Amino acid sequence: MKKIVVPCICMMLVITMAPIAIAEENDLEKNDFKFDVIPLFFFQRWNPLWQIFFKHLDIVSFSLSEESQDSEYLYLTMQIRDFEYSEYRSVYAIYWTYNYTRYFVVTNTHTNGEAINILAGHFDLSGEDHGTPVNGEINEEENTLTWIVPKDLVGNPDAGEEFSEIHANTFLILQKDCDVKYPIYLAKDIARPLLSPGYSYTVQF
């Protein structure tokens, strides 16, 4: 009797845990180096002395996931080393490519937090962005930015399809106007593999 019960229990555990293991494996969560923000003025190179001024741009990690009970949405998160609002325009974005189209989520802030814009959308063939407001928030205590994105806004992908070239960026821009023709970039950070344009993710639901 014991010989039958033990294998059955083991089999039940394997069957029960398998979906959990698969879900965790398919969630994308990547860490980034700290203190690696690059100033884009003067010699445009990394300098440790500037890092104290750009801690609100320094990406710690970012993630992309789904939830089975809300399978019509993508959930994205970015954690910053020490978030704070700036007088200049601060841009926090995650990009990916699906079906030959480049998609994004982005949060723009300026004027010390008086202006906050949370969007998701895509770039057309000319490189022009087309964004739509989505739900999201900035949690200053936890240094995180989040986005909740309807899938039909970003290509309506099916389960089993793949996002590629996933990476995160932050920028500090002198001008506050998002539609300015020639933005002046003051600093940036990027989170992606050193030898690749980005990570990949398989849509679960």
Side-chain angles (χ1 to χ4, degrees):
M1 183 66 178
K2 290 182 179 179
K3 292 182 180 179
I4 297 174
V5 172
V6 173
C8 288
I9 293 174
C10 293
M11 183 64 70
M12 290 175 64
L13 287 173
V14 170
I15 294 172
T16 304
M17 294 299 292
I20 297 175
I22 291 172
E24 290 179 349
E25 182 180 346
N26 286 340
D27 286 352
L28 176 73
E29 184 172 358
K30 297 298 179 181
N31 296 321
D32 186 40
F33 296 108
K34 295 182 181 179
F35 309 102
D36 62 341
V37 180
I38 299 174
L40 298 178
F41 45 86
F42 299 119
F43 298 105
Q44 299 189 19
R45 62 185 180 186
W46 180 84
N47 188 319
L49 298 178
W50 288 108
Q51 298 307 308
I52 189 172
F53 299 106
F54 300 132
K55 57 187 178 180
H56 68 293
L57 300 176
D58 197 355
I59 301 170
V60 174
S61 66
F62 72 95
S63 66
L64 187 159
S65 64
E66 301 169 78
E67 296 181 3
S68 59
Q69 65 271 28
D70 289 308
S71 59
E72 297 178 356
Y73 296 89
L74 296 176
Y75 296 86
L76 299 100
T77 301
M78 181 187 296
Q79 183 172 13
I80 300 301
R81 178 160 58 94
D82 190 1
F83 182 86
E84 64 180 10
Y85 292 104
S86 172
E87 178 66 26
Y88 303 116
R89 179 154 64 100
S90 301
V91 181
Y92 305 88
I94 300 175
Y95 304 96
W96 68 94
T97 299
Y98 165 65
N99 199 20
Y100 304 104
T101 300
R102 193 180 183 208
Y103 294 94
F104 65 87
V105 293
V106 64
T107 296
N108 288 282
T109 77
H110 64 72
T111 319
N112 297 315
E114 290 185 16
I116 300 174
N117 197 12
I118 302 174
L119 305 170
H122 71 282
F123 295 95
D124 62 25
L125 294 177
S126 68
E128 183 178 354
D129 61 282
H130 301 271
T132 301
V134 296
N135 290 330
E137 69 172 6
I138 298 173
N139 188 321
E140 296 179 62
E141 293 184 358
E142 297 184 3
N143 300 305
T144 58
L145 300 94
T146 57
W147 300 264
I148 302 174
V149 183
K151 288 182 179 178
D152 59 7
L153 196 61
V154 289
N156 203 22
D158 293 322
E161 295 188 300
E162 186 174 272
F163 297 159
S164 62
E165 300 181 352
I166 306 170
H167 64 282
N169 266 110
T170 60
F171 302 99
L172 187 65
I173 301 175
L174 180 63
Q175 301 100 323
K176 297 177 181 180
D177 183 2
C178 292
D179 296 322
V180 66
K181 189 172 183 180
Y182 299 108
I184 299 174
Y185 291 87
L186 302 177
K188 72 172 183 178
D189 190 17
I190 185 168
R192 69 180 181 191
L194 294 177
L195 302 177
S196 169
Y199 302 97
S200 62
Y201 174 83
T202 300
V203 179
Q204 300 177 48
F205 307 107

